[in-house]
Amino acid sequence: MAVEQRVNQTVARPMDKPKMGKMARREEREFYLFIALWIIGFLAFDAGPILASFVISFTNWSMMSPPAWVGALNFQRLMTDPLFYTALWNSLYFGVGSVGLGLIVSFLLALLLNQKVLGISLFRTVFYLPSVVSGIAVAILWIMILHQDFGLINSVLAWFGIKGPGWLVQPQWAKPALILMSLWGAGGSMVIYLAGLQSVPQHLYEAASIDGAGPWMKFRNVTVPMMSPVIFYNLIVGFIASLQGFVLVLIMTNGGPANATLMFGLYIYRVAFQFFQMGYASALAWILLVVIMIITVLQFLGAKYWVFYEGEVAK
Amino acid sequence: MNVDLSGRSTSAVTTQVGSQARLGMRNQRRVQTLVVYALLAALSVLFILPFMWMVSTSLKESQDVFSYPPSFFPNSFIWQNYPRGWTLLPFNTFLTNSIIVTTANVVGNLVSCSLVAFGFARLRARGRNILFLALLATLMIPREVTIVPRFLLFSQLGMVNTLWPLILPAWFGYAFFIFLLRQFFMTIPTELDDAARIDGASTFRIFFEIILPLSKPALGTVAIFAFIGNWSNLLDPLIYIRSQELYTLALGLNLFRGQNFTQFNMLMAVSIITLIPVLTVFFLSQRLFVQGVTLTGMGGR
């Protein structure tokens, strides 16, 4: 919605002559030339595949033999597939947990760094760095950190006389362990929050002070509303990203123990590239797309009640 | 004179009256700063500890990795773990492949995304808004939805088990980078374009000789994001690459893990080696990073 606003603002330059001039027509031709690469990519790698996967989802296809039309069979199978529900639940659990806690951690870090402390850039580096190093090296590192007997976390817990759980071995601890790991990367959204905090107009705080507001009131009534668009952006992007990421899980647990970390993306990957059931994998993928769309729409609808856009004050 | 004096005296009086309260406030602020620093220091340790653990493991003797109780510091520093881990598998080949793929991706992203972003930022045309929304919508599409048809596409083209599926998509634009560059291009005053146009410059020249040179920070950010994203990309190599001589570093590490899972020390050593380029780039260009994140992050406002 915000984006739409911005688009409209920038497009508002006049182009409304009833008949387009030669210049305008040339500009239009040039526009399409400049974006031609993306159009090809969009058709070949985004729109085409989405439509294709919709068609494939109604077939049975192992790639060895030609696809066979099976109607809605894949979707019927999906309704009775316990692993489908497990994967959906796991992904939502991880998504809500990692995005929710990530929001709190990164926002708190940003608030701390916004206190005009000396050495802010050093601290920013320290918090931001883990979010830059991703991929397999991190997965391996965290396998070690979360190890039941020799891991870093349980060693630290042992100092305090606490016997830590088998993080990646016990089904009830596996998802919390992954969420904990995701918090290590909170620095990425911290930087966005920090930038947002620094652009909150100072005079709003001064006005609040004059009205006798304490620190909490200022936070509640100035910081949070002014930051709500940034928080909203991070929620949307973070949730979509969390539903997609499964490579770390693939390496660390491969969905185990007892399917406790079988994420939706991992399930699709498994059905497609290990069982070679392209039709069923496409059906699952489409359901994921629908789920993401529903959640995004719900977030946009909910945003009305808590996201504050400066430009909308007049309404 | 009189007015001046009285003014001075009143201010002196208020200072005296307020000094008590101000002293309290100053103390309060001092305590607050102290608390902030204590929290920051504690959190920094938490964020750094995993890295230290990684380094310490990479320097340990094999039998010390799983000693009980676990020790944070290695008994002796086994620097040999680094060259030995690296040569256990053909990591030089993997490194070459990673460099090829990553370079092709960075260049491809820079070329394609800057062209497209210029179109969206500067040229007016019917259908532009709807196309821009379509572009943003692709950011919302989970990769899982398209991996199957993409795989089918590349297998039709006979490109499975080549590096092409890892390289080609980057040459056709990536919505996130296009958005980032467009946001940046829009901050460049259009007067510069107009002046050049009056001097007879073509649109492409305006793009190439005015916009691009002014956009070095944004282009740098895109290059860095593309570099980091590709360097550690595991999913695409996992799907498309079969033969070991085409493995990238990420894939090689994964293979290494399967074969030598007990040798955590060497695994950590090689992991650290693969992280060095990322860390170097990060430390050299932190400012660009933060700028880029900010530019797109604020784009949501």
Side-chain angles (χ1 to χ4, degrees), chain B residues 91 93-95 97-98 101 163 166 231 233-234 237 241 244 246-253:
Chain B
F91 272 104
T93 312
F94 304 158
L95 176 68
N97 292 329
S98 274
V101 170
L163 294 180
L166 315 183
W231 192 252
N233 181 8
L234 177 66
I241 306 298
Q244 200 177 302
L246 290 175
Y247 272 29
T248 57
L249 278 178
L251 215 46
L253 264 180

mmCIF file of all heavy atoms in Angstrom, chain B residues 91 93-95 97-98 101 163 166 231 233-234 237 241 244 246-253:
data_model
loop_
_atom_site.group_PDB
_atom_site.id
_atom_site.type_symbol
_atom_site.label_atom_id
_atom_site.label_comp_id
_atom_site.label_asym_id
_atom_site.label_seq_id
_atom_site.Cartn_x
_atom_site.Cartn_y
_atom_site.Cartn_z
ATOM 1 N N PHE B 91 39.012 -28.839 -2.857
ATOM 2 C CA PHE B 91 38.427 -27.530 -2.563
ATOM 3 C C PHE B 91 38.919 -26.438 -3.500
ATOM 4 O O PHE B 91 38.266 -25.421 -3.674
ATOM 5 C CB PHE B 91 38.667 -27.147 -1.100
ATOM 6 C CG PHE B 91 37.589 -27.665 -0.195
ATOM 7 C CD1 PHE B 91 37.801 -28.766 0.607
ATOM 8 C CD2 PHE B 91 36.343 -27.060 -0.162
ATOM 9 C CE1 PHE B 91 36.798 -29.261 1.419
ATOM 10 C CE2 PHE B 91 35.327 -27.546 0.649
ATOM 11 C CZ PHE B 91 35.556 -28.649 1.440
ATOM 12 N N THR B 93 39.127 -26.780 -6.738
ATOM 13 C CA THR B 93 38.132 -26.828 -7.823
ATOM 14 C C THR B 93 36.838 -26.151 -7.383
ATOM 15 O O THR B 93 36.263 -25.347 -8.116
ATOM 16 C CB THR B 93 37.832 -28.296 -8.187
ATOM 17 O OG1 THR B 93 39.064 -28.985 -8.338
ATOM 18 C CG2 THR B 93 37.019 -28.391 -9.449
ATOM 19 N N PHE B 94 36.390 -26.488 -6.174
ATOM 20 C CA PHE B 94 35.149 -25.897 -5.672
ATOM 21 C C PHE B 94 35.265 -24.373 -5.611
ATOM 22 O O PHE B 94 34.335 -23.652 -5.955
ATOM 23 C CB PHE B 94 34.804 -26.432 -4.276
ATOM 24 C CG PHE B 94 34.705 -27.937 -4.188
ATOM 25 C CD1 PHE B 94 34.849 -28.577 -2.969
ATOM 26 C CD2 PHE B 94 34.481 -28.699 -5.321
ATOM 27 C CE1 PHE B 94 34.757 -29.959 -2.876
ATOM 28 C CE2 PHE B 94 34.390 -30.087 -5.248
ATOM 29 C CZ PHE B 94 34.528 -30.721 -4.015
ATOM 30 N N LEU B 95 36.441 -23.929 -5.176
ATOM 31 C CA LEU B 95 36.664 -22.483 -5.076
ATOM 32 C C LEU B 95 36.559 -21.839 -6.456
ATOM 33 O O LEU B 95 35.892 -20.809 -6.622
ATOM 34 C CB LEU B 95 38.046 -22.215 -4.461
ATOM 35 C CG LEU B 95 38.470 -20.754 -4.379
ATOM 36 C CD1 LEU B 95 37.606 -19.999 -3.386
ATOM 37 C CD2 LEU B 95 39.934 -20.634 -3.979
ATOM 38 N N ASN B 97 34.897 -22.886 -9.075
ATOM 39 C CA ASN B 97 33.490 -22.858 -9.489
ATOM 40 C C ASN B 97 32.723 -21.759 -8.771
ATOM 41 O O ASN B 97 31.924 -21.048 -9.385
ATOM 42 C CB ASN B 97 32.833 -24.210 -9.215
ATOM 43 C CG ASN B 97 33.391 -25.288 -10.121
ATOM 44 O OD1 ASN B 97 33.786 -25.015 -11.242
ATOM 45 N ND2 ASN B 97 33.456 -26.506 -9.623
ATOM 46 N N SER B 98 32.975 -21.635 -7.485
ATOM 47 C CA SER B 98 32.278 -20.586 -6.730
ATOM 48 C C SER B 98 32.627 -19.213 -7.273
ATOM 49 O O SER B 98 31.758 -18.348 -7.374
ATOM 50 C CB SER B 98 32.663 -20.650 -5.251
ATOM 51 O OG SER B 98 31.830 -21.560 -4.580
ATOM 52 N N VAL B 101 30.753 -18.721 -10.645
ATOM 53 C CA VAL B 101 29.317 -18.501 -10.460
ATOM 54 C C VAL B 101 29.056 -17.138 -9.827
ATOM 55 O O VAL B 101 28.207 -16.362 -10.289
ATOM 56 C CB VAL B 101 28.706 -19.622 -9.593
ATOM 57 C CG1 VAL B 101 27.279 -19.289 -9.200
ATOM 58 C CG2 VAL B 101 28.749 -20.933 -10.341
ATOM 59 N N LEU B 163 26.815 -25.244 -14.951
ATOM 60 C CA LEU B 163 26.727 -24.073 -14.075
ATOM 61 C C LEU B 163 25.659 -23.082 -14.550
ATOM 62 O O LEU B 163 25.337 -22.127 -13.849
ATOM 63 C CB LEU B 163 28.085 -23.380 -13.976
ATOM 64 C CG LEU B 163 29.198 -24.186 -13.290
ATOM 65 C CD1 LEU B 163 30.495 -23.390 -13.267
ATOM 66 C CD2 LEU B 163 28.803 -24.562 -11.862
ATOM 67 N N LEU B 166 22.732 -21.816 -12.458
ATOM 68 C CA LEU B 166 23.129 -20.969 -11.326
ATOM 69 C C LEU B 166 23.452 -19.549 -11.780
ATOM 70 O O LEU B 166 23.543 -18.637 -10.973
ATOM 71 C CB LEU B 166 24.356 -21.560 -10.619
ATOM 72 C CG LEU B 166 24.362 -23.055 -10.327
ATOM 73 C CD1 LEU B 166 25.604 -23.443 -9.557
ATOM 74 C CD2 LEU B 166 23.123 -23.427 -9.546
ATOM 75 N N TRP B 231 27.568 -16.522 -2.806
ATOM 76 C CA TRP B 231 28.715 -17.244 -2.257
ATOM 77 C C TRP B 231 28.258 -18.395 -1.365
ATOM 78 O O TRP B 231 28.844 -19.459 -1.368
ATOM 79 C CB TRP B 231 29.581 -16.259 -1.472
ATOM 80 C CG TRP B 231 30.920 -16.800 -1.095
ATOM 81 C CD1 TRP B 231 31.332 -17.166 0.144
ATOM 82 C CD2 TRP B 231 32.033 -17.020 -1.959
ATOM 83 N NE1 TRP B 231 32.628 -17.605 0.101
ATOM 84 C CE2 TRP B 231 33.078 -17.522 -1.178
ATOM 85 C CE3 TRP B 231 32.243 -16.841 -3.344
ATOM 86 C CZ2 TRP B 231 34.330 -17.854 -1.704
ATOM 87 C CZ3 TRP B 231 33.474 -17.166 -3.868
ATOM 88 C CH2 TRP B 231 34.502 -17.663 -3.057
ATOM 89 N N ASN B 233 25.101 -19.688 -1.430
ATOM 90 C CA ASN B 233 23.910 -20.347 -1.949
ATOM 91 C C ASN B 233 24.125 -21.851 -2.044
ATOM 92 O O ASN B 233 25.058 -22.318 -2.678
ATOM 93 C CB ASN B 233 23.570 -19.777 -3.325
ATOM 94 C CG ASN B 233 22.327 -20.405 -3.912
ATOM 95 O OD1 ASN B 233 21.629 -21.156 -3.232
ATOM 96 N ND2 ASN B 233 22.049 -20.095 -5.161
ATOM 97 N N LEU B 234 23.257 -22.591 -1.395
ATOM 98 C CA LEU B 234 23.388 -24.048 -1.414
ATOM 99 C C LEU B 234 22.261 -24.692 -2.211
ATOM 100 O O LEU B 234 22.469 -25.695 -2.896
ATOM 101 C CB LEU B 234 23.387 -24.592 0.019
ATOM 102 C CG LEU B 234 23.452 -26.110 0.142
ATOM 103 C CD1 LEU B 234 24.782 -26.630 -0.378
ATOM 104 C CD2 LEU B 234 23.265 -26.538 1.580
ATOM 105 N N PRO B 237 22.764 -25.109 -6.286
ATOM 106 C CA PRO B 237 23.762 -26.140 -6.602
ATOM 107 C C PRO B 237 23.273 -27.539 -6.224
ATOM 108 O O PRO B 237 23.489 -28.492 -6.961
ATOM 109 C CB PRO B 237 24.973 -25.738 -5.756
ATOM 110 C CG PRO B 237 24.821 -24.290 -5.528
ATOM 111 C CD PRO B 237 23.343 -24.024 -5.485
ATOM 112 N N ILE B 241 23.476 -29.456 -9.651
ATOM 113 C CA ILE B 241 24.832 -29.961 -9.898
ATOM 114 C C ILE B 241 24.949 -31.409 -9.440
ATOM 115 O O ILE B 241 24.558 -31.741 -8.321
ATOM 116 C CB ILE B 241 25.877 -29.089 -9.171
ATOM 117 C CG1 ILE B 241 25.719 -27.618 -9.555
ATOM 118 C CG2 ILE B 241 27.282 -29.569 -9.494
ATOM 119 C CD1 ILE B 241 25.934 -27.323 -11.004
ATOM 120 N N GLN B 244 31.088 -33.921 -9.294
ATOM 121 C CA GLN B 244 31.869 -33.259 -8.258
ATOM 122 C C GLN B 244 32.749 -32.146 -8.806
ATOM 123 O O GLN B 244 33.031 -31.178 -8.102
ATOM 124 C CB GLN B 244 32.722 -34.293 -7.524
ATOM 125 C CG GLN B 244 33.188 -33.822 -6.169
ATOM 126 C CD GLN B 244 33.978 -34.882 -5.428
ATOM 127 O OE1 GLN B 244 33.485 -35.981 -5.176
ATOM 128 N NE2 GLN B 244 35.212 -34.570 -5.096
ATOM 129 N N LEU B 246 31.973 -29.925 -10.703
ATOM 130 C CA LEU B 246 31.219 -28.678 -10.847
ATOM 131 C C LEU B 246 30.739 -28.138 -9.498
ATOM 132 O O LEU B 246 30.046 -27.133 -9.435
ATOM 133 C CB LEU B 246 30.009 -28.898 -11.760
ATOM 134 C CG LEU B 246 30.320 -29.128 -13.237
ATOM 135 C CD1 LEU B 246 29.054 -29.462 -14.008
ATOM 136 C CD2 LEU B 246 30.996 -27.908 -13.842
ATOM 137 N N TYR B 247 31.095 -28.812 -8.433
ATOM 138 C CA TYR B 247 30.645 -28.398 -7.098
ATOM 139 C C TYR B 247 31.120 -26.983 -6.752
ATOM 140 O O TYR B 247 32.229 -26.597 -7.091
ATOM 141 C CB TYR B 247 31.179 -29.365 -6.038
ATOM 142 C CG TYR B 247 30.298 -30.563 -5.773
ATOM 143 C CD1 TYR B 247 29.484 -31.076 -6.770
ATOM 144 C CD2 TYR B 247 30.287 -31.168 -4.531
ATOM 145 C CE1 TYR B 247 28.683 -32.184 -6.538
ATOM 146 C CE2 TYR B 247 29.491 -32.280 -4.280
ATOM 147 C CZ TYR B 247 28.688 -32.780 -5.293
ATOM 148 O OH TYR B 247 27.910 -33.861 -5.043
ATOM 149 N N THR B 248 30.250 -26.259 -6.058
ATOM 150 C CA THR B 248 30.669 -24.979 -5.492
ATOM 151 C C THR B 248 31.145 -25.227 -4.057
ATOM 152 O O THR B 248 30.986 -26.322 -3.534
ATOM 153 C CB THR B 248 29.503 -23.983 -5.468
ATOM 154 O OG1 THR B 248 28.446 -24.558 -4.725
ATOM 155 C CG2 THR B 248 29.033 -23.661 -6.874
ATOM 156 N N LEU B 249 31.676 -24.188 -3.431
ATOM 157 C CA LEU B 249 32.197 -24.350 -2.066
ATOM 158 C C LEU B 249 31.118 -24.834 -1.100
ATOM 159 O O LEU B 249 31.353 -25.722 -0.288
ATOM 160 C CB LEU B 249 32.762 -23.018 -1.561
ATOM 161 C CG LEU B 249 34.180 -22.660 -1.989
ATOM 162 C CD1 LEU B 249 34.538 -21.302 -1.439
ATOM 163 C CD2 LEU B 249 35.174 -23.696 -1.508
ATOM 164 N N ALA B 250 29.920 -24.244 -1.217
ATOM 165 C CA ALA B 250 28.845 -24.628 -0.299
ATOM 166 C C ALA B 250 28.534 -26.115 -0.435
ATOM 167 O O ALA B 250 28.390 -26.827 0.559
ATOM 168 C CB ALA B 250 27.598 -23.796 -0.589
ATOM 169 N N LEU B 251 28.463 -26.561 -1.685
ATOM 170 C CA LEU B 251 28.171 -27.966 -1.940
ATOM 171 C C LEU B 251 29.320 -28.841 -1.454
ATOM 172 O O LEU B 251 29.100 -29.921 -0.886
ATOM 173 C CB LEU B 251 27.953 -28.150 -3.441
ATOM 174 C CG LEU B 251 26.923 -29.162 -3.902
ATOM 175 C CD1 LEU B 251 25.632 -29.037 -3.141
ATOM 176 C CD2 LEU B 251 26.666 -28.987 -5.388
ATOM 177 N N GLY B 252 30.548 -28.378 -1.670
ATOM 178 C CA GLY B 252 31.714 -29.134 -1.226
ATOM 179 C C GLY B 252 31.726 -29.298 0.283
ATOM 180 O O GLY B 252 32.003 -30.390 0.797
ATOM 181 N N LEU B 253 31.373 -28.227 0.972
ATOM 182 C CA LEU B 253 31.315 -28.299 2.436
ATOM 183 C C LEU B 253 30.284 -29.329 2.874
ATOM 184 O O LEU B 253 30.510 -30.087 3.813
ATOM 185 C CB LEU B 253 30.916 -26.939 3.013
ATOM 186 C CG LEU B 253 32.003 -26.001 3.473
ATOM 187 C CD1 LEU B 253 31.372 -24.728 4.005
ATOM 188 C CD2 LEU B 253 32.836 -26.649 4.558
#
